[in-house]
Amino acid sequence: MMNKEQKAACGRLKETIATGALEMEDRLWETLRVFQNQPFRTAKGLEFSYEIRGGEMFFSRKVKSITRATVMVAFRRALEVQEAEGRVAGPKKLGTFGASYLYPVLIRLGVIASD
């Protein structure tokens, strides 16, 4: 369940995506910050959380971090697939390192629809 701040952040992100505004990636990063340390589940049901430090995301189940640039590649790819296919059918569609973690996060943020 989302709190008031999280709902507001998701609303701003969706609005920014809908208008195609240039600051879309900054808005995504801002929204990701609001959801830090929240529990998520991978497609296989494994629980994880993440923390943002500078320009990197650190996931509780992973030793390596995912850079902001990689997150943005996955984000743009998710939007492309969502537009073309109406949904994103699994993390592999994102085609980036860390997709198994980014996929459920993007679903929770309302960026993409899942299976």
Side-chain angles (χ1 to χ4, degrees):
M1 179 174 266
M2 285 190 245
N3 65 34
K4 195 175 193 176
E5 180 183 24
Q6 291 168 335
K7 285 180 185 177
C10 287
R12 288 189 301 271
L13 176 61
K14 286 179 185 178
E15 184 178 300
T16 303
I17 291 169
T19 62
L22 294 174
E23 69 274 359
M24 188 166 39
E25 291 181 358
D26 289 334
R27 182 74 70 195
L28 172 65
W29 201 249
E30 173 188 307
T31 304
L32 289 170
R33 285 185 187 281
V34 173
F35 280 81
Q36 291 185 90
N37 302 309
Q38 296 296 307
F40 289 87
R41 289 203 177 273
T42 64
K44 292 183 178 181
L46 302 172
E47 189 169 311
F48 71 93
S49 61
Y50 68 85
E51 190 176 305
I52 293 179
R53 292 184 233 146
E56 296 177 278
M57 288 180 80
F58 292 84
F59 292 86
S60 60
R61 298 189 63 85
K62 198 129 189 89
V63 175
K64 295 181 178 181
S65 66
I66 300 174
T67 65
R68 180 176 172 156
T70 299
V71 172
M72 295 312 152
V73 168
F75 174 61
R76 288 189 298 270
R77 178 75 178 133
L79 292 177
E80 290 170 6
V81 173
Q82 181 76 25
E83 178 72 25
E85 300 177 19
R87 65 187 179 93
V88 180
K92 288 184 181 181
K93 288 284 192 172
L94 300 180
T96 61
F97 175 76
S100 59
Y101 299 104
L102 295 173
Y103 178 74
V105 171
L106 293 175
I107 289 172
R108 169 93 61 87
L109 299 183
V111 171
I112 57 176
S114 65
D115 300 340

